[in-house]
Amino acid sequence: MVRHALIVVDVQNDFCPGGALAVKGGDEIIPLLNATIAETDHVIMTQDWHPAGHSSFASSHPPKSAFDNIMASYGQQTLWPDHCVQGSKGAEIHPKLNWKRAELVLRKGFRQGIDSYSAFFENDRKTKTGLAGYLRDRDIQAITLAGLATDFCVAYSALDAVAQGFQTRIRLDLTRAIDLDGSLDNMLNQMRAAGVELVGNLP
Ligand code: VGL
Ligand code: ZN
C-alpha cells in the first residue's frame, strides 16, 4: 500500500477575497476541499508566514510597486503586497477550512531575506523546509496538492515534490490561480513536463 498525504497549500485569509493578496475565487474551493479532507488519511497544511518588512514585500523596496520584479541575491523575485504577516488575521488559515485534521502545519517564508513559494525548498532553491524528510520519515510516498495559488506556491511545491521522488498529483479543481503575465500556462506546462499528474479542471 502506497501511503498518501493531501497537502493543502496556503488557504489563508490573505489569499481569499477581501485579503491582502486575494486570489480570485480563492474561497470557492473550501467546501469541496473540506469533503476531500474528510476522506483523506493524512492531511498536511502549509501557512505562508512572513515577518513584517519581509524582502518579498514591495513596501520594502521603494519606489517599487506590487507585482514588479527585483533581482534578489538568489535570482528574480516578484514583489507582493504585504501579506501573511506572522500573527496577523490575514495569516490565519481560513476559518471555514477544516484545519483540525491537519497532522502538520508547515510554515514557510519566515526568513527575512528569502521568499518561499515551495513547501520543500525556499526561493534560493537550496534552503530546505524539512518537508521531504518529514514525509520520508512517515513513509509517505505519494502526495496530492491543493490550495492557493495554483501557479505559485502549489506549482513550485509540485515541481519540487516530483524532483524529490514523490508520486505527485495536483487537483486543479481544488486550486485557484493568480495568473501574473502568463504564469499559469507556464507553470502548467512545467508541471506536465516534469511528470506531475494534473487532475480536474480550473474554472
Ligand atoms: C504565494 C505569492 C506570495 C502563494 C505566497 O501562496 O501562492 N504567492 N506568497
Ligand atoms: Zn508570501
Side-chain angles (χ1 to χ4, degrees):
M1 247 285 272
V2 174
R3 273 162 63 94
H4 166 263
L6 174 69
I7 303 184
V8 180
V9 176
D10 297 2
V11 181
Q12 292 165 261
N13 291 327
D14 270 344
F15 296 119
C16 291
L21 179 41
V23 179
K24 192 165 171 267
D27 57 348
E28 287 169 9
I29 62 175
I30 292 174
L32 191 53
L33 199 45
N34 283 339
T36 307
I37 286 169
E39 60 197 26
T40 302
D41 286 340
H42 303 292
V43 179
I44 293 165
M45 293 186 183
T46 70
Q47 194 172 22
D48 210 36
W49 195 249
H50 301 307
H54 190 247
S55 58
S56 75
F57 296 169
S59 62
S60 303
H61 304 272
K64 293 279 187 191
S65 311
F67 312 110
D68 285 349
N69 280 285
I70 54 160
M71 194 49 81
S73 56
Y74 51 80
Q76 277 251 7
Q77 171 69 50
T78 301
L79 296 177
W80 304 104
D82 290 24
H83 66 280
C84 297
V85 173
Q86 296 172 359
S88 68
K89 203 80 198 160
E92 288 175 12
I93 305 276
H94 192 286
K96 294 220 166 83
L97 185 71
N98 180 11
W99 48 267
K100 290 179 195 160
R101 289 207 58 235
E103 295 174 352
L104 172 74
V105 179
L106 181 104
R107 290 182 175 151
K108 61 182 182 61
F110 51 76
R111 286 187 180 78
Q112 191 67 239
I114 320 182
D115 203 3
S116 189
Y117 296 150
S118 165
F120 292 90
F121 288 92
E122 300 193 14
N123 285 12
D124 63 358
R125 316 310 293 137
K126 286 198 273 282
T127 306
K128 295 174 179 177
T129 65
L131 182 58
Y134 172 90
L135 294 171
R136 284 185 195 117
D137 273 355
R138 295 202 54 204
D139 294 320
I140 291 167
Q141 298 116 324
I143 64 167
T144 298
L145 287 149
L148 305 170
T150 325
D151 44 345
F152 286 92
C153 291
V154 182
Y156 276 73
S157 298
L159 290 172
D160 283 347
V162 267
Q164 290 292 306
F166 297 99
Q167 195 180 309
T168 308
R169 277 198 330 160
I170 172 173
R171 275 282 300 270
L172 290 173
D173 56 327
L174 296 181
T175 70
R176 289 293 183 275
I178 295 175
D179 203 11
L180 197 62
D181 302 323
S183 57
L184 178 59
D185 276 346
N186 176 26
M187 297 313 289
L188 289 174
N189 287 333
Q190 284 195 47
M191 287 192 282
R192 263 185 217 107
V196 176
E197 188 189 348
L198 308 188
V199 180
N201 291 300
L202 281 155

